[in-house]
Amino acid sequence: MTSDITLFVNPTAGRGRGAHAAQPAARALRDAGFAVRTVLGHDAADALRRAREAVAEGTGALVAVGGDGMISLALQAVAGTRTPLGVIAAGTGNDFARTLGLPVRDPAAAARVTAEVLKTSGGRSIDLGRIRGGTADAGDRTHAEGPTRAGALAPATTRTRSRWYGTVLASGFDSRVNDRGNRMRIPAGRFKYDLAILAELAGFRPVPYRLTLDDGHVVETDATLVAVGNGSSYGGGMRICADARTDDGLLDVTVVGDCDRRTLIKVFPRVYKGTHLDHPKVTTYRVRSLTLDAPDTTGYADGEPLGPLPLTVECVPGALRVLAPHQGPATSLR
């Protein structure tokens, strides 16, 4: 194991928390005996290029500081390689860190966990989702066109080859909520998504979906939303795919059927505890791969826009080595 590691920083994450988080994280890593090199990106393409260079040069770990958007970018650099990923969660949602049971908005504590795991087990392998289709691809960006949401490194839009994700692929009502929430500057955290839900309820209607499951079975249904989870949550702790695991080689698909507004208002608050899955309007599947199609519907993964459906997603077992403890998610992460 090399003692040289790379801190991959988004200084604008979480309204500037990324920049503030980098210093105590670097200090804790150096105190643990590691030589720390910091990489800053001017935009998504530059950041990804620098991260990939660090991986190619043999860095001992890529440690991402920021929110789920920064983690998503880091995944494009380390997925499928031997380089482990550390997570210093300093964004708004921090769902990837929540899924892994890592400290949230405590950069020194997260860095100490990262250092301890790197020194002992060297991390553990988890699955990732791999997406084909859409128009926005972090792995193939060429320039930035301005911020798409608070704290995000701005993506360029281009033709997609494939893209990795760690938490949830969202489409339908939740992707519209995501789009609206990403445009909101206040309030912070999950509460802005609560407000975005209320705003979207006014005009949303279910849309016809066509799902092609990995056994060839086709499901055609009018749905309010379809979410495909490698991890369990999105939007700052909304456990839309509550039973999803990152080490079972499967994706959890949650289909919320044709709901009227009253039903949706009743069902959606249950997402925070994951108890919505037993509602009669909710259907779940576990698949290795899935093609998702619906008219006039955008997909998001790890909170980042993918472009319009159709999208094809597959679970890639053991695609990432992550610097996280082996126990499950913590019970309290706020």
Side-chain angles (χ1 to χ4, degrees), residues 27-73:
R27 188 179 308 117
L29 291 167
R30 290 187 177 108
D31 288 346
F34 292 98
V36 179
R37 165 194 173 192
T38 300
V39 167
L40 296 170
H42 300 297
D43 54 42
D46 181 57
L48 181 57
R49 178 183 61 79
R50 291 169 184 263
R52 284 176 166 163
E53 286 176 354
V55 170
E57 291 167 1
T59 186
L62 187 70
V63 181
V65 183
D68 287 324
M70 192 62 172
I71 306 308
S72 176
L73 199 60

Side-chain angles (χ1 to χ4, degrees), residues 129-331:
R130 184 163 57 192
I131 304 161
R132 301 181 190 279
T135 55
D137 176 20
D140 200 26
R141 292 170 178 165
T142 58
H143 64 286
E145 299 179 349
T148 57
R149 61 187 178 86
L153 288 173
T157 299
T158 183
R159 189 173 299 277
T160 294
R161 290 194 299 268
S162 67
R163 175 172 177 156
W164 300 95
Y165 79 99
T167 56
V168 175
L169 188 163
S171 71
F173 179 75
D174 47 2
S175 64
R176 288 173 170 83
V177 168
N178 203 345
D179 189 41
R180 181 179 290 270
N182 287 343
R183 296 194 302 266
M184 296 169 66
R185 296 297 179 260
I186 55 174
R190 86 181 200 187
F191 299 107
K192 73 175 180 180
Y193 291 96
D194 293 339
L195 292 179
I197 288 169
L198 295 177
E200 287 298 323
L201 278 172
F204 183 78
R205 297 290 184 275
V207 295
Y209 274 85
R210 179 183 175 89
L211 312 179
T212 305
L213 310 184
D214 54 10
D215 60 0
H217 180 57
V218 174
V219 177
E220 294 186 341
T221 184
D222 288 345
T224 301
L225 67 87
V226 177
V228 186
N230 180 62
S232 59
S233 72
Y234 61 5
M238 299 168 68
R239 303 183 66 235
I240 186 69
C241 299
D243 295 334
R245 295 178 57 91
T246 59
D247 60 359
D248 63 356
L250 297 171
L251 299 166
D252 280 38
V253 183
T254 300
V255 180
V256 179
D258 185 352
C259 293
D260 57 31
R261 294 180 194 175
R262 177 178 295 182
T263 302
L264 193 57
I265 289 170
K266 289 181 179 179
V267 171
F268 228 90
R270 296 170 59 179
V271 172
Y272 289 106
K273 293 186 177 179
T275 57
H276 62 292
L277 295 182
D278 60 5
H279 192 278
K281 287 289 187 179
V282 176
T283 305
T284 61
Y285 304 92
R286 281 199 170 124
V287 299
R288 291 182 175 82
S289 64
L290 170 75
T291 297
L292 186 64
D293 197 7
D296 304 319
T297 301
T298 299
Y300 278 76
D302 292 337
E304 299 297 303
L306 300 169
L309 304 187
L311 296 168
T312 296
V313 56
E314 64 175 323
C315 182
V316 182
L320 176 69
R321 193 154 189 85
V322 68
L323 299 174
H326 282 272
Q327 68 266 26
T331 56

Side-chain angles (χ1 to χ4, degrees), residues 6-10 25 61-67 69-75 84-90 110 114:
T6 301
L7 208 60
F8 187 44
V9 181
N10 178 3
L62 187 70
V63 181
V65 183
M70 192 62 172
I71 306 308
S72 176
L73 199 60
L75 291 180
L85 176 68
V87 176
I88 310 297
T114 297

